[in-house]
Amino acid sequence: MSHKKITIIDVAQHAGVSVTTVSLVLSGKGRISQTTSERVNRAVDELGFVRNRQASTLRGGESGVVGLIVRDICEPFYAEMTAGLSEMFEAQGKVLFLLQSGPTGKGLERCFDTLLTHGVDGIVIAGGVNSIAGLKEKAEEQGVPLICAARSGGIEGVDVVRPDNMLAAKMATEYLIKRGHKQIAYLGGLSNSLTRAERLGGFCATLLQYGLPFRSEWIIECDYPQKCAADAAEALLSHYPKISAIVCHKASVAMGAYFGVMRTGTQVGGGAVDNFFQQKVALIGMEDAPESALTEPPLTSIANSAREIGYAAARRLLMRIGGQNLEAQNIIVAPGLVERESA
């Protein structure tokens, strides 16, 4: 007859404490009272829980593992950022442990607790975390450094490494204006996105700077899958055929918009709409992706330096793991223009 393996969860339930508290007692980290420590150790003995090698490693020093939590690894930004993090950590002999939290706060908290339980040397959270309280305090209790690598936002008092969303949108809009476009729309992103709000700020401010019209009906919300963007772009141009250019919220939105424009019988091009015989609509995307070079013509983009953000976040976390006492910083990585269209 096989016996059920005793887990750290069983110990926590038996002792009447949290899994995090058990992990703290086993690792010898954190501020745990003697009474609580004795209760946990008594539960360990009574259940016959095997103190694993990981706990011994934690008591002796670093584990060599760094945790990363992303919302959706399929998003190009996070995939590229993860590659940068991984390169930097591997060069220092550390392994990246990746978890995907999904869009909910509960998923993020569960992933965070899992990483703390496994005794990682540090944690990187990629994406907004405004809805979750107490993550910083949990990390501090266990002496685990924490970094936010986000498109926008972060945790107060925690290092944030992020792109300059407003500048990226300003660059994209200005690029179109200087090529003669005056009827410019914005496509993509969801209304609850802080990243979208920042980019729209840059977009609208640039239009006003150049004395161009800002029309709310030309700012279209849509999710990032290409089909959503294609449908939205087609509907937008069908209703407002005078639009000559579109700033696209993401590379995937730009790719979808490309097909949406083609559906309307309009060509994609870079110049202003002065051709009597054939109207053209210019597209520019943010968060550059390799597939942007495959269209005809290739699509110009504003690169968000996702890999550089990964490098910068890794460097900052390695400094904290090394024991450097640093003031929390908001580190902003500047975007860059990737011009592919012919003049």
Side-chain angles (χ1 to χ4, degrees):
M1 180 178 177
S2 61
H3 295 281
K4 176 180 177 293
K5 182 179 179 180
I6 302 300
T7 68
I8 195 171
I9 296 174
D10 297 322
V11 174
Q13 292 175 344
H14 192 77
V17 297
S18 68
V19 171
T20 300
T21 298
V22 175
S23 178
L24 288 171
V25 173
L26 294 177
S27 66
K29 289 187 174 184
R31 300 185 294 271
I32 303 297
S33 69
Q34 182 176 351
T35 302
T36 301
S37 295
E38 290 174 353
R39 191 193 317 162
V40 171
N41 285 318
R42 186 162 56 249
V44 166
D45 294 337
E46 291 175 355
L47 295 176
F49 176 73
V50 178
R51 299 171 186 260
N52 59 27
R53 183 172 176 267
Q54 171 195 313
S56 299
T57 301
L58 285 169
R59 283 192 295 271
E62 297 178 4
S63 66
V65 178
V66 175
L68 169 63
I69 305 173
V70 300
R71 287 188 175 186
D72 185 355
I73 191 58
C74 291
E75 287 198 39
F77 174 87
Y78 293 129
E80 188 74 10
M81 188 209 67
T82 299
L85 281 165
S86 182
E87 287 177 19
M88 187 67 70
F89 287 134
E90 286 179 5
Q92 299 299 317
K94 294 188 180 295
V95 175
L96 192 65
F97 183 20
L98 173 63
L99 294 176
Q100 179 173 283
S101 66
T104 68
K106 289 184 178 179
L108 172 59
E109 194 167 18
R110 172 181 50 78
C111 290
F112 194 82
D113 289 343
T114 298
L115 291 175
L116 291 180
T117 299
H118 283 77
V120 295
D121 295 336
I123 296 175
V124 179
I125 300 178
V129 292
N130 296 331
S131 61
I132 298 299
L135 297 185
K136 176 188 174 186
E137 289 72 18
K138 283 185 178 182
E140 288 178 343
E141 284 178 359
Q142 295 202 39
V144 176
L146 175 63
I147 296 283
C148 289
R151 289 179 179 167
S152 57
I155 300 174
E156 185 177 353
V158 174
D159 290 318
V160 179
V161 184
R162 58 190 294 266
D164 193 331
N165 291 308
M166 186 170 287
L167 177 59
K170 176 179 172 60
M171 290 172 62
T173 310
E174 197 167 54
Y175 175 85
L176 295 172
I177 293 171
K178 289 184 175 180
R179 290 167 71 88
H181 294 280
K182 297 181 179 180
Q183 311 287 331
I184 306 172
Y186 188 98
L187 178 65
L190 301 177
S191 60
N192 62 352
S193 166
L194 182 55
T195 297
R196 182 175 186 263
E198 291 178 346
R199 290 178 179 171
L200 280 178
F203 170 73
C204 296
T206 308
L207 290 180
L208 294 173
Q209 177 187 342
Y210 284 87
L212 296 179
F214 162 70
R215 298 180 59 175
S216 59
E217 64 269 27
W218 288 5
I219 297 177
I220 306 300
E221 180 179 352
C222 75
D223 211 343
Y224 65 85
Q226 291 185 23
K227 184 180 185 308
C228 295
D231 293 343
E234 182 181 12
L236 175 66
L237 293 176
S238 297
H239 284 92
Y240 306 103
K242 290 185 179 181
I243 290 172
S244 69
I246 303 174
V247 175
C248 300
H249 184 65
K250 292 186 181 182
S252 60
V253 172
M255 286 296 295
Y258 174 86
F259 294 108
V261 171
M262 300 294 283
R263 284 182 196 168
T264 65
T266 306
Q267 290 186 359
V268 175
V273 187
D274 292 324
N275 190 322
F276 177 78
F277 298 101
Q278 181 63 62
Q279 180 179 347
K280 292 185 178 181
V281 174
L283 300 174
I284 185 167
M286 285 176 278
E287 303 181 9
D288 184 57
E291 55 266 28
S292 298
L294 303 178
T295 60
E296 182 55 47
L299 299 180
T300 294
S301 301
I302 303 296
N304 58 7
S305 305
R307 191 174 291 251
E308 291 298 326
I309 289 170
Y311 292 152
R315 284 193 293 268
R316 191 70 177 175
L317 189 59
L318 286 167
M319 292 169 69
R320 290 202 173 278
I321 291 173
Q324 295 191 38
N325 187 18
L326 307 167
E327 291 291 328
Q329 285 189 355
N330 185 19
I331 302 168
I332 299 177
V333 180
L337 176 68
V338 181
E339 187 172 7
R340 296 192 178 96
E341 291 180 334
S342 58

